Amino acid sequence: MGLISNGTTIFDAGTISAGAGSVSFIKKITASADSTISMVHGASNVVFDGTFKEYLITWNCLHPSSTSEPDFLINFRDGGTDFDAPKTTTSFRCLHNEADTQELFQYYNIDLANATGGQLLGLDMDGDGDSCISGYCRIFDPGNTTFVKHFIIELNLTHDSPRADHYHIAGHINTTAAIDGFQFSRDAGNIASGDVCLYGIS
């Protein structure tokens, strides 16, 4: 069933039309005590190549399996079997605690310098039962084989203090090889619940 406004199809068959462009839902994975959550082009109906010039990855209420200041990471695959594409990034954060005694806006060094390890998505998250991390990553033209691939991440998490931490992370994947997959992981323990979705933007 579609949504039509003034003769124009706005939403139909999983695609949202926005003027000259559209957002197409590709896949959703729901976590259930998983050590990693991965999507790879060509596997399980995943499209992550040159089909779209931009992809949107969202994570909704990812919750850790352990309570000891868990950290989440994201990484990318450049055609091999490992999620170890080299990345250079920069980041900043703002925060406000629940007691209203701390406010801060700062450059925060969780940056990578042409590193193959995962990009941290914030630090020292609260692992209590009502805590989670949510956000999105926009990655541009991952199928390109001429240029490095840029990405922008924005997220919010519940810090162990407790407080609200809001992060902005951006950078590039420093390879001209096509990026064909991405993976979420934990520094220790599993991803107990939440979901990851992939969309193509044209």
Side-chain angles (χ1 to χ4, degrees):
M1 177 179 236
L3 173 63
I4 299 174
S5 175
N6 199 25
T8 300
T9 300
I10 305 298
F11 179 84
D12 189 33
T15 298
I16 301 172
S17 180
S22 63
V23 178
S24 299
F25 172 77
I26 297 172
K27 189 171 182 68
K28 175 181 178 179
I29 295 178
T30 300
S32 179
D34 299 303
S35 59
T36 61
I37 297 174
S38 308
M39 292 193 197
V40 175
H41 176 69
S44 303
N45 298 315
V46 171
V47 176
F48 196 67
D49 63 354
T51 301
F52 298 95
K53 289 292 187 180
E54 180 183 350
Y55 288 85
L56 175 66
I57 304 162
T58 66
W59 53 98
N60 181 17
C61 296
L62 292 184
H63 177 70
S65 59
S66 58
T67 60
S68 180
E69 296 186 341
D71 296 327
F72 286 80
L73 303 95
I74 188 171
N75 213 337
F76 302 94
R77 198 179 91 155
D78 54 5
T81 57
D82 297 323
F83 294 86
D84 61 355
K87 297 160 295 300
T88 297
T89 61
T90 187
S91 60
F92 65 90
R93 70 174 179 174
C94 49
L95 58 88
H96 186 200
N97 70 346
E98 292 181 6
D100 199 20
T101 58
Q102 183 187 26
E103 297 172 337
L104 190 65
F105 179 87
Q106 67 177 165
Y107 162 74
Y108 196 61
N109 189 5
I110 55 173
D111 302 351
L112 300 176
N114 205 36
T116 59
Q119 171 63 57
L120 278 167
L121 300 174
L123 283 173
D124 301 335
M125 180 181 156
D126 185 8
D128 290 349
D130 62 350
S131 298
C132 61
I133 180 173
S134 300
Y136 66 85
C137 173
R138 297 172 62 190
I139 181 167
F140 301 92
D141 204 7
N144 191 294
T145 56
T146 301
F147 302 110
V148 301
K149 270 60 77 177
H150 294 276
F151 61 91
I152 299 169
I153 294 171
E154 186 174 1
L155 64 97
N156 204 75
L157 62 83
T158 309
H159 189 272
D160 192 58
S161 291
R163 65 177 190 235
D165 279 20
H166 189 75
Y167 283 83
H168 290 257
I169 305 163
H172 62 266
I173 304 169
N174 194 26
T175 180
T176 57
I179 299 302
D180 66 349
F182 61 90
Q183 182 180 82
F184 289 86
S185 62
R186 284 274 320 284
D187 58 336
N190 292 331
I191 304 169
S193 59
D195 63 64
V196 175
C197 293
L198 176 65
Y199 304 84
I201 300 176
S202 59

